[in-house]
Amino acid sequence: MERKSSSEIRRMYLDFFKSKGHVVEPSASLVPQDDPTLLWINSGVATMKKYFDGSVVPDVPRLTSSQKSIRTNDIENVGHTARHHTLFEMLGNFSVGDYFKEEAIHWAWELLTSKEWFGMDPDKLFVTVYPKDQDAKKIWLETGIDPTHIVEVEDNFWDIGEGPSGPDSEIFYDRGESFNNLSDDDPENYPGGENERWLEIWNIVFSQFNHQPDGSYEPLPHKNIDTGMGLERVVSVFQDAPTNFETDLFLPIIHEVEDLSGKKYGVNQENDISFKVIADHARAITFAIGDGAIPSNEGRGYVIRRLLRRAVMHGKKLGINDAFLYKMVPVVGQIMKDYYPEVLKDKDYISKVVKSEEDRFSETLTDGIELLNSIIEETQTKKEKTISGVDAFRLFDTYGFPLELAKEYASDKGLDIDEEGFKTEMQKQKERARSARSTEKSMGVQSDLLTDLKTKSQYVGYNTLKVDDAVLEDVIQDGKLSDEVKVGEAQALFSVTPFYAEMGGQVADQGEIRNQDGEVVAEVVDVQHAPNGQNLHTINALKPMQSGENYTLEVNRAFHLKVEKNHTATHLLDQALRDILGDHTQQAGSLVEPGYLRFDFTHFGSVTDQDLKRVEEIINEKIYDEIPVTTIETDIETGKKMGAIALFNDKYGKNVRVVSIGDYSREFCGGTHVKNTNEIGLFKIVSESGVGAGVRRIEAVTSQAALEFLNSEENLLKKTASLLKSAQLKDVPNKVEQMQAGSKDLTRRINQLEDKIAKSQAANIGDQLVEINGIRLIAANVQVSGMDQLRQMADDWKNKDQSDVLVLAAKIGEKANLIVAVKDDLIKEGIKAGDLIKAIAPKVNGGGGGRPNLAQAGGSNPENIPAALSEAASWLKANA
């Protein structure tokens, strides 16, 4: 078998199935689109769900892909095993109701063993089959495989609960006796067992049953094929690598880390784990950020942050103390440039995000060490030898402080960490994350009613908004096909239609249906694409309708034109954002309504008012320039050569529409647009905000809606001018500035007076001194305007020898505020401010905490302040 690069293997796989009539699907974004059941795209079939569940019928039922995927359910194993990864590529071929076992098995054998393709030695290949699936076993024997190389395994059945399921067949490569890590009589020493000798390289799923809620299995109306070949695994076979990490997918990253650390890979086992973790995580972080995800404290952003911090800590273990992970981004891009050229294209942006997060972690690491020292001190004070799992997890969850590092710090102080307790808290978090995701089914089963609806229907709405002779072809009402429409809601398919079906963020057209007598017989309330691509109308029938009859379909013109203006404005907005913020910005979603437009885009950080103003100016300049908007239909390659922007997550067919706004903007788009930018009239941004990690949202209005918005803003300004007694609108800013200056002066004077009052009260609190068990206590109810004054009084107390313990309380607004301070020498005796505040805060219906020498609390019942002060004395009597 000839050695091949990862790029060659990927290309050969796709080319093979292309030669078998498959369409190559591009690798989709790692961030799932319209799928709340997934945090990440985690397999090749995850991007094919719309085909397998019947919501969309593909143009060609044979598909193949190399899909980048992320899985982090067992992140702790990465670096410790030969084949665990967070990011991996899954090669796959898929049949949607087309070929089945016969072709899938024979083609698999041909790809693997043919000298024209992979050229593997047949004697090194083993397969497993489901014992009851004798059809698959028979077909495997037809390939000429050694019968002793077929193993029946009970687990070879793919099932996700309710939904599609079926037997599967796994293919293993025998790496030879040198990889045998088990004794001959070990029950796991066989292809399919937990061992190092037989490496699983491919899994073919024969999806042929529908798992019913009652546990029974019914045959699927359309049988499917779903396969998965891990690229990293098969590359390790071709490159004769002991593990996946010694292949050209990882070694360039490892070599870069060697140069930065001065340490060598393959010399020290512990160091090797760190090299592997960094190489793996660098790939995942690079691709995730490149696909628009950003480090944050929730969801997929939290996953990126965790991976990045884990990699940084392993860098520290190798002696790399400065930011370094961002330097791996171009290395990853260089490795993957053949199939993922966008990584190198966006390397500057990705590196910037990674570097920023590394710097941020460096700061939080300092805070984490401070918290850890506090936990260690508290544990030692209690004369305990083990830090609780809850505290260790709090350290990890809040500051990303790894358990391994915490163990090292604790060990230096003679302490252990409750690792089981830590794992329990980690599991709780995973369960919270799972429950936060949608409980929708991950994959459904095809609906014959819609997938079998193959009547031709022509959309003509690009050229006209009215059709006089549209034949009512199909009717769906009350969940079944019918020849007539009864009064009420129904779905209707016409031979020809001017109604746009919702797509690409643009809402569906609305309008009326009239009979040949000119009577309105139905209202069109929604239009969606049926699985076979037709425009399926949801109608509210006012009168009965009959299939086979002709009807007049007319779109609501005013509604449609408003949507057109807003849709063309989103194209201008997309390009203007790239002009001002940079080419890294990508559309992350849009909504085009008649009343407004919403545009989501990827961007690291907020957008300044100055940038928003410039974006708005550019768009209005393009509107005033009266630029023609043209549309041509062509093939996708020609469109790309024209410079048309493709949305990364969208799938395009053989023919595409390219919408050009002069030479300024050119995009693939199936929506409807104005003929000239001057039709938009006016563009105004209404708001800009963050809607998720690394995703910003702009809402805007155009034309009449923009004018109405500006008039509303002007009316508010006039009202403000009236309240300020300002004769002219232009004087409003000066008036406001004068009021702000006056307000600041008054605030300064008030603060000065409050400071004087606080100092005066601080001088008198000594009158409240009592002694309890030899400890001097001052517990006083004072009058201040805020917590700042309470803290100031506590600071003044520190500089005087008035007492050993200070408890101050104040009613501020409708709340009770408490502060406790304790001298350092008392802390050693077990008297801590945090413990005392927790004892007295419940008296005012509150809670709080803090450091051993200073703590504060708030409560909702200020009337009980005297009781709280009294409780302080009682607590000291019991604990001093």
Side-chain angles (χ1 to χ4, degrees):
M1 181 174 61
E2 182 185 342
R3 180 184 174 90
K4 291 181 175 64
S5 71
S6 55
S7 293
E8 288 177 304
I9 296 165
R10 186 193 294 115
R11 286 289 173 192
M12 287 181 76
Y13 184 95
L14 298 176
D15 287 346
F16 175 83
F17 282 103
K18 195 174 179 181
S19 74
K20 304 297 183 185
H22 291 64
V23 170
V24 179
E25 290 271 294
S27 186
S29 169
L30 287 165
V31 178
Q33 300 298 305
D34 303 320
D35 189 348
T37 68
L38 293 176
L39 192 64
W40 300 101
I41 290 298
N42 58 12
S43 64
V45 74
T47 65
M48 307 286 178
K49 283 166 64 173
K50 62 183 178 182
Y51 301 138
F52 285 117
D53 67 14
S55 58
V56 175
V57 174
D59 294 334
V60 178
R62 298 181 180 185
L63 306 163
T64 185
S65 69
S66 181
Q67 176 61 46
K68 59 182 183 287
S69 309
I70 282 183
R71 293 181 191 172
T72 57
N73 53 316
D74 49 5
I75 183 177
E76 293 79 9
N77 290 328
V78 174
H80 293 270
T81 69
R83 285 173 287 279
H84 268 98
H85 302 296
T86 51
L87 177 111
F88 58 93
E89 276 187 88
M90 190 63 77
L91 299 164
N93 58 287
F94 309 89
S95 166
V96 185
D98 186 39
Y99 64 82
F100 200 47
K101 294 180 187 178
E102 187 83 26
E103 296 88 343
I105 291 173
H106 279 286
W107 287 342
W109 189 252
E110 181 184 351
L111 172 64
L112 292 171
T113 63
S114 170
K115 287 185 169 59
E116 181 186 352
W117 298 102
F118 281 4
M120 291 184 179
D121 182 354
D123 290 338
K124 290 186 175 294
L125 295 174
F126 289 72
V127 299
T128 59
V129 295
Y130 185 54
K132 295 179 182 178
D133 188 11
Q134 291 302 304
D135 288 343
K137 184 174 182 179
K138 179 181 173 221
I139 297 168
W140 273 116
L141 287 170
E142 292 172 0
T143 67
I145 190 173
D146 184 337
T148 65
H149 285 205
I150 301 176
V151 183
E152 294 186 3
V153 177
E154 194 67 39
D155 288 342
N156 275 46
F157 194 90
W158 182 78
D159 199 340
I160 57 172
E162 292 181 35
S165 61
D168 66 272
S169 192
E170 296 173 335
I171 304 171
F172 293 83
Y173 184 85
D174 183 2
R175 309 183 80 194
E177 186 64 38
S178 62
F179 282 88
N180 196 353
N181 62 325
L182 301 175
S183 61
D184 291 342
D185 60 350
D186 193 294
E188 292 296 323
N189 198 349
Y190 70 96
E194 291 294 328
N195 61 73
E196 293 296 323
R197 175 172 178 172
W198 286 282
L199 177 64
E200 181 192 342
I201 56 173
W202 207 351
N203 186 18
I204 305 172
V205 176
F206 311 115
S207 185
Q208 64 188 89
F209 299 113
N210 181 16
H211 189 165
Q212 298 291 328
D214 63 3
S216 63
Y217 291 86
E218 290 186 0
L220 282 173
H222 303 290
K223 295 178 174 60
N224 306 310
I225 289 292
D226 157 27
T227 83
M229 172 187 282
L231 177 65
E232 292 79 10
R233 292 187 175 210
V234 77
V235 168
S236 75
V237 171
F238 275 98
Q239 298 180 6
D240 195 25
T243 77
N244 294 355
F245 291 95
E246 288 81 30
T247 66
D248 64 2
L249 289 167
F250 295 90
L251 277 177
I253 309 171
I254 290 173
H255 292 329
E256 186 72 15
V257 178
E258 284 180 323
D259 291 343
L260 291 171
S261 66
K263 292 183 171 60
K264 285 295 179 184
Y265 180 70
V267 175
N268 176 283
Q269 187 175 359
E270 281 300 311
N271 286 347
D272 284 354
I273 291 172
S274 294
F275 277 112
K276 291 174 182 177
V277 169
I278 293 168
D280 174 273
H281 291 6
R283 285 172 20 115
I285 293 162
T286 296
F287 273 94
I289 294 174
D291 282 354
I294 293 291
S296 69
N297 284 329
E298 58 186 16
R300 60 182 64 93
Y302 178 76
V303 172
I304 298 174
R305 177 163 285 170
R306 185 182 174 197
L307 292 176
L308 188 147
R309 292 182 171 186
R310 195 166 185 261
V312 168
M313 293 310 303
H314 277 279
K316 290 186 180 298
K317 286 187 175 183
L318 294 175
I320 308 173
N321 292 313
D322 296 328
F324 76 97
L325 204 57
Y326 73 98
K327 297 177 182 177
M328 303 300 115
V329 173
V331 182
V332 174
Q334 196 64 35
I335 295 169
M336 310 296 268
K337 67 180 180 180
D338 176 60
Y339 202 64
Y340 301 99
E342 66 273 8
V343 176
L344 277 181
K345 176 176 170 287
D346 297 333
K347 71 179 188 309
D348 292 342
Y349 167 71
I350 300 170
S351 298
K352 177 184 174 184
V353 176
V354 174
K355 176 68 161 56
S356 174
E357 185 65 16
E358 284 190 271
D359 292 341
R360 177 190 176 100
F361 182 42
S362 179
E363 295 171 6
T364 59
L365 203 57
T366 303
D367 295 334
I369 290 172
E370 185 178 324
L371 174 59
L372 178 57
N373 286 333
S374 174
I375 292 170
I376 288 172
E377 182 184 340
E378 190 170 334
T379 305
Q380 290 174 328
T381 301
K382 293 178 181 176
K383 296 185 169 42
E384 295 176 354
K385 290 292 184 182
T386 303
I387 292 174
S388 74
V390 173
D391 282 338
F393 182 77
R394 177 161 57 100
L395 190 66
F396 166 79
D397 196 41
T398 306
Y399 295 108
F401 208 90
L403 179 63
E404 296 83 2
L405 189 65
K407 283 167 62 178
E408 290 179 20
Y409 270 82
S411 178
D412 290 342
K413 302 291 184 179
L415 301 175
D416 294 321
I417 288 180
D418 177 12
E419 293 188 52
E420 288 304 315
F422 178 88
K423 290 176 183 176
T424 299
E425 294 301 312
M426 179 69 81
Q427 186 60 36
K428 287 179 183 177
Q429 186 192 67
K430 288 180 179 179
E431 289 168 2
R432 288 193 296 269
R434 277 195 294 269
S435 64
R437 276 181 236 158
S438 171
T439 55
E440 295 177 34
K441 290 174 63 177
S442 62
M443 191 183 295
V445 177
Q446 303 99 323
S447 164
D448 285 349
L449 193 63
L450 291 177
T451 55
D452 291 344
L453 199 65
K454 297 180 179 178
T455 309
K456 298 292 184 183
S457 177
Q458 183 185 9
Y459 171 65
V460 295
Y462 293 128
N463 303 311
T464 182
L465 297 180
K466 182 181 178 183
V467 172
D468 289 321
D469 296 306
V471 180
L472 177 57
E473 299 283 6
D474 294 295
V475 174
I476 298 175
Q477 197 166 31
D478 299 326
K480 57 182 181 291
L481 283 169
S482 176
D483 291 329
E484 63 176 354
V485 179
K486 296 178 289 186
V487 174
E489 185 175 296
Q491 290 176 299
L493 187 66
F494 294 89
S495 60
V496 61
T497 178
F499 283 88
Y500 181 84
E502 181 179 349
M503 182 178 66
Q506 179 175 333
V507 297
D509 279 329
Q510 298 178 2
E512 296 178 339
I513 300 174
R514 293 192 291 275
N515 61 20
Q516 295 303 295
D517 296 328
E519 298 176 298
V520 177
V521 294
E523 300 167 335
V524 177
V525 295
D526 190 27
V527 189
Q528 298 291 329
H529 286 285
N532 286 292
Q534 313 98 319
N535 288 16
L536 188 64
H537 308 70
T538 298
I539 64 173
N540 177 27
L542 307 175
K543 293 186 177 183
M545 299 170 63
Q546 192 70 39
S547 64
E549 292 188 0
N550 287 11
Y551 293 90
T552 296
L553 276 56
E554 186 169 8
V555 172
N556 182 323
R557 182 178 179 81
F559 182 99
H560 181 89
L561 294 181
K562 288 178 181 178
V563 172
E564 278 191 346
K565 292 173 182 178
N566 285 339
H567 197 157
T568 306
T570 64
H571 284 227
L572 290 171
L573 175 57
D574 189 9
Q575 186 57 50
L577 286 168
R578 293 172 190 270
D579 291 346
I580 299 302
L581 302 180
D583 286 338
H584 66 271
T585 62
Q586 297 178 20
Q587 181 175 337
S590 67
L591 176 64
V592 183
E593 295 264 11
Y596 81 111
L597 65 92
R598 189 179 75 205
F599 189 83
D600 294 347
F601 59 99
T602 58
H603 181 61
F604 179 56
S606 60
V607 184
T608 66
D609 290 340
Q610 184 178 354
D611 285 341
L612 285 176
K613 181 183 177 184
R614 186 64 190 124
V615 166
E616 197 175 79
E617 287 173 347
I618 288 173
I619 295 171
N620 281 312
E621 285 169 7
K622 301 305 175 185
I623 292 172
Y624 306 150
D625 287 344
E626 300 182 338
I627 303 172
V629 180
T630 57
T631 303
I632 66 167
E633 190 169 303
T634 184
D635 62 272
I636 191 166
E637 290 305 318
T638 301
K640 287 180 178 178
K641 289 175 182 176
M642 293 170 62
I645 295 172
L647 292 186
F648 193 77
N649 300 304
D650 277 12
K651 299 289 189 293
Y652 300 95
K654 292 180 181 177
N655 295 321
V656 294
R657 298 180 81 247
V658 177
V659 178
S660 300
I661 303 176
D663 293 327
Y664 182 65
S665 166
R666 190 166 283 121
E667 295 188 24
F668 293 116
C669 182
T672 62
H673 294 274
V674 299
K675 299 294 187 293
N676 190 291
T677 58
N678 64 7
E679 296 176 39
I680 301 172
L682 182 65
F683 176 88
K684 182 65 185 172
I685 293 174
V686 174
S687 67
E688 190 277 336
S689 60
V691 292
V695 178
R696 310 295 299 179
R697 170 172 293 172
I698 284 178
E699 294 187 349
V701 286
T702 67
S703 190
Q704 182 181 346
L707 182 61
E708 290 171 353
F709 175 78
L710 291 173
N711 285 339
S712 174
E713 296 287 289
E714 183 184 19
N715 288 335
L716 289 173
L717 188 57
K718 285 179 178 178
K719 185 175 181 181
T720 304
S722 175
L723 291 171
L724 293 170
K725 303 288 191 289
S726 176
Q728 297 186 40
L729 295 183
K730 67 178 183 180
D731 295 330
V732 168
N734 285 335
K735 284 275 189 180
V736 172
E737 286 176 0
Q738 290 171 12
M739 289 185 66
Q740 285 179 330
S743 175
K744 285 180 181 177
D745 185 54
L746 286 173
T747 301
R748 180 178 57 79
R749 293 184 184 183
I750 289 169
N751 287 339
Q752 289 174 345
L753 288 172
E754 286 179 341
D755 285 344
K756 288 181 180 180
I757 293 171
K759 287 179 181 178
S760 174
Q761 291 191 77
N764 296 326
I765 59 173
D767 297 340
Q768 311 293 324
L769 181 68
V770 295
E771 189 169 315
I772 299 171
N773 295 343
I775 295 174
R776 295 174 299 161
L777 166 68
I778 292 177
N781 188 355
V782 296
Q783 293 182 342
V784 294
S785 61
M787 279 301 298
D788 285 343
Q789 278 71 43
L790 276 184
R791 282 190 285 267
Q792 180 62 50
M793 292 179 71
D795 287 341
D796 290 342
W797 170 85
K798 284 181 185 177
N799 298 323
K800 302 173 183 177
D801 187 24
Q802 291 177 289
S803 68
D804 303 307
V805 178
L806 175 71
V807 181
L808 297 178
K811 178 182 178 183
I812 301 173
E814 297 302 317
K815 298 286 183 70
N817 288 266
L818 306 171
I819 195 164
V820 173
V822 176
K823 284 197 169 181
D824 291 341
D825 54 355
L826 268 186
I827 295 173
K828 297 174 184 176
E829 298 177 18
I831 304 299
K832 296 181 181 178
D835 295 339
L836 179 50
I837 204 83
K838 288 175 184 176
I840 66 175
K843 293 294 182 180
V844 292
N845 292 344
R851 301 187 303 273
N853 63 341
L854 186 68
Q856 62 187 56
S860 61
N861 187 3
E863 303 305 319
N864 265 13
I865 283 177
L869 296 176
S870 176
E871 180 62 25
S874 300
W875 186 87
L876 277 176
K877 286 178 183 176
N879 292 277

